[in-house]
Amino acid sequence: MILVINCGSSSVKFAVINPASGETSLVGLAEKLGSVDACISFKTNGVKTAATLSDTTHTGAMNAVIAQLTQADLLSSIRAVGHRIVHGGAHFHESTLINAAVLEQIKQCEPLAPLHAPANILGIQIAQQHLPQLPHVAVFDTAFHHNIPEHAHLYAIPKAISAAHQVRRYGFHGTSHRFVAAQAAQMLGKPLTELALISAHLGNGGSVAAILNGVSVDTSMGFTPLEGLIMGTRSGDIDAGLLPYLGKALNLDTTGVIDLLNKQSGLLGVSELSNDCRELEEAAANGHAGAILALEMYVYRLAKYIASYVVPLGRVDALIFTGGIGENSPFLRAKVLNLLAFLGFKLDDAANQAAFRGKSGNISSGVAALVINTDEEWLIAQDTALIAAQ
Ligand code: ADP
């Protein structure tokens, strides 16, 4: 069994997973860390337990995780620990066994992901203290996009500046895109190495990836996760000229403007109602003008991105919908496929309605459009098991 840890700025998600089957013997979440409401919940054999955390730090949360693993008699079955790491910088292009030098290199990526990296690093350090005898493996969100060619990953700014300051499109959600691409190949009954896929991971954050023969050749998130699609609270693509303009108009510094674009924009900002797609769909059905506009903009931007990825791919064998929205919103999927009918997609309405809450399937009777449930933790467990066995 593999212990998978996803240590965020105020939460720790964890799971004990069988890497061969993807079955979990324990999943859990410690959240609201650093606040008085900090709590932890576990699910084992369908039974859920929850408790408040007296020590509300990440260390306190990890202590509680280890205590729970001991109590559930799972600790001795764990062979390795897999860590989800948001940013691997330009250096890491695959999952990597963590040693002192690797940890140092992960630390050097911190300026590239100041919100996430410190928690990721803390997660590794605390887990290593608790489980020093086990191999620890880092699985990077950025790694899958490492091979995006230069003409697609560079920004058109002076080349020397890009080189000196590690400026490039890094892309994110790599673990999810990689997982669903492999699943798509299975569903299509073809080798991944012969497929041209477009993967749309649509959760609170969202990104599209163009995947040719198993390799990511372009993706919509960039140097940071702000670029690309309209998301729950992120604007996605925006004219950089707006930054100083908004700063002056709203009397905000750069951090304030970026905060506005990351946290108050997207579906939330346009609808003036919610960042939650489900809520917006309900409101739109009741005629809420903001919700209707926000969803229309969301679908339009998404369809434009998908269509543009025909350029790097040359053709499309399948489009993949995943993430909370991609897996559960027949409404948005239908709108996207209808806009993209010229690419050969033909909405199968019954299949679209049926692919919901964990049910995957092909929702197009033309070029395949696959609804696939992502499972990043399982892929982290698979990579970890493979590397630990070497
Ligand atoms: P995160 O990026 O935080 O992991 P998720 O992948 O869980 O997010 O996706 C969250 C999004 O999925 C929310 O916008 C939520 O409204 C949407 N979602 C979940 N279920 C449905 C549904 N039945 N219909 C429409 N949207 C849904």
Side-chain angles (χ1 to χ4, degrees), residues 201-205 275-279 281 323-325 328-329 356:
H201 176 109
L202 310 172
N204 256 320
N275 64 313
D276 190 294
C277 184
R278 218 171 342 187
E279 218 175 306
E281 285 184 27
I325 298 173
N328 294 300
S329 176
F356 183 64

Side-chain angles (χ1 to χ4, degrees), residues 38-315:
C39 57
I40 190 161
S41 57
F42 315 93
K43 208 163 147 192
T44 346
N45 303 323
V47 182
K48 206 169 170 185
T49 26
T52 52
L53 280 170
S54 49
D55 179 350
T56 67
T57 63
H58 284 81
T59 309
M62 284 299 296
N63 287 343
V65 173
I66 300 294
Q68 181 63 26
L69 292 175
T70 311
Q71 197 185 322
D73 206 15
L74 286 169
L75 207 52
S76 59
S77 68
I78 294 168
R79 295 285 172 269
V81 186
H83 296 266
R84 179 189 177 197
I85 306 296
V86 168
H87 218 302
H91 187 79
F92 292 105
H93 50 96
E94 57 191 5
S95 302
T96 306
L97 185 70
I98 303 172
N99 56 28
V102 167
L103 186 58
E104 201 44 50
Q105 275 160 340
I106 293 174
K107 283 182 186 166
Q108 281 169 18
C109 300
E110 205 175 310
L112 299 172
L115 294 180
H116 294 101
N120 290 168
I121 293 162
L122 200 59
I124 295 173
Q125 289 170 328
I126 302 171
Q128 280 184 329
Q129 279 163 19
H130 278 287
L131 304 165
Q133 74 286 8
L134 295 182
H136 290 248
V137 172
V139 180
F140 302 94
D141 269 16
T142 48
F144 185 53
H145 303 300
H146 185 81
N147 290 317
I148 292 176
E150 201 175 37
H151 66 264
H153 81 227
L154 278 182
Y155 292 97
I157 62 171
K159 183 106 188 308
I161 295 178
S162 295
H165 298 280
Q166 303 179 65
V167 177
R168 61 163 280 175
R169 173 181 308 287
Y170 286 104
F172 298 87
H173 292 142
T175 315
S176 175
H177 289 303
R178 182 155 73 97
F179 179 83
V180 294
Q183 294 286 114
Q186 278 188 18
M187 286 168 80
L188 296 167
K190 289 192 179 147
L192 181 59
T193 48
E194 291 173 15
L195 286 170
L197 302 171
I198 300 177
S199 160
H201 176 109
L202 310 172
N204 256 320
S207 69
V208 191
I211 303 165
L212 187 60
N213 306 331
V215 177
S216 171
V217 290
D218 207 346
T219 192
S220 60
M221 281 180 168
F223 179 74
T224 74
L226 180 56
E227 193 180 347
L229 303 180
I230 291 173
M231 307 176 217
T233 60
R234 293 192 189 115
S235 63
D237 291 344
I238 208 142
D239 180 353
L242 261 179
L243 268 75
Y245 179 81
L246 286 178
K248 202 165 173 204
L250 303 172
N251 196 21
L252 292 171
D253 60 9
T254 318
T255 313
V257 179
I258 291 295
D259 225 48
L260 173 83
L261 299 177
N262 264 315
K263 296 185 183 154
Q264 298 170 47
S265 300
L267 292 174
L268 173 67
V270 176
S271 69
E272 300 182 304
L273 180 68
S274 170
N275 64 313
D276 190 294
C277 184
R278 218 171 342 187
E279 218 175 306
L280 292 178
E281 285 184 27
E282 274 169 32
N286 292 323
H288 188 286
I292 293 169
L293 177 63
L295 293 173
E296 195 175 339
M297 287 171 66
Y298 183 95
V299 166
Y300 176 69
R301 175 87 56 91
L302 174 58
K304 264 206 321 189
Y305 257 101
I306 292 168
S308 75
Y309 284 170
V310 178
V311 174
L313 294 176
R315 66 175 203 280

Side-chain angles (χ1 to χ4, degrees), residues 15-26:
V16 177
I17 303 181
N18 179 330
S21 66
E23 277 168 36
T24 56
S25 24
L26 178 140

